Amino acid sequence: NQKKSLNYIINTVSAVHPIDPLLNLLKINGKMVFVGAPDKPLQLPVMPLLQGRKMIGGSLIGGLKETQEMLDFCGEHNITCEIEKIPIDYINTAMKRLL
């Protein structure tokens, strides 16, 4: 169970998606920063924010200098990403796995 296992989430998704499952992954005082820009508003569940003292913020993606600094930081601290490519007809199962 990954619930309450993360301090930070950098949300890069630029499509409408549920936020609640991601908020459930954050520890107390956890932070989620949006760098993706969905074309429609997202629903924001407030109670998980209040109960967990969680914060949501946003940032436009930086230029080449900031991107290189971020990549260097990740390399120095062995921070990697996990990507799973799935077929579209698997999306409902993938969302259940995310929960």
Side-chain angles (χ1 to χ4, degrees):
N1 186 358
Q2 301 300 314
K3 193 172 185 179
K4 295 183 181 179
S5 63
L6 302 174
N7 291 309
Y8 304 98
I9 295 175
I10 299 173
N11 190 328
T12 62
V13 179
S14 58
V16 175
H17 61 287
I19 300 172
D20 201 37
L22 298 174
L23 291 176
N24 289 331
L25 296 174
L26 290 172
K27 294 179 179 178
I28 299 281
N29 296 319
K31 295 169 181 59
M32 180 163 40
V33 177
F34 283 85
V35 295
D39 61 350
K40 295 184 179 152
L42 299 175
Q43 290 188 359
L44 179 62
V46 175
M47 287 310 291
L49 296 175
L50 299 175
Q51 293 171 336
R53 297 192 314 257
K54 298 171 185 176
M55 298 181 68
I56 291 182
S59 175
L60 293 175
I61 296 175
L64 290 175
K65 180 179 181 261
E66 291 85 2
T67 301
Q68 188 60 56
E69 288 174 357
M70 185 266 311
L71 291 172
D72 292 344
F73 179 87
C74 290
E76 291 168 11
H77 295 89
N78 197 30
I79 298 171
T80 61
C81 62
E82 183 176 320
I83 299 171
E84 181 180 358
K85 193 172 182 178
I86 61 168
I88 192 65
D89 59 343
Y90 186 72
I91 191 69
N92 289 334
T93 302
M95 291 303 292
K96 288 178 187 172
R97 286 179 49 208
L98 180 63
L99 289 173

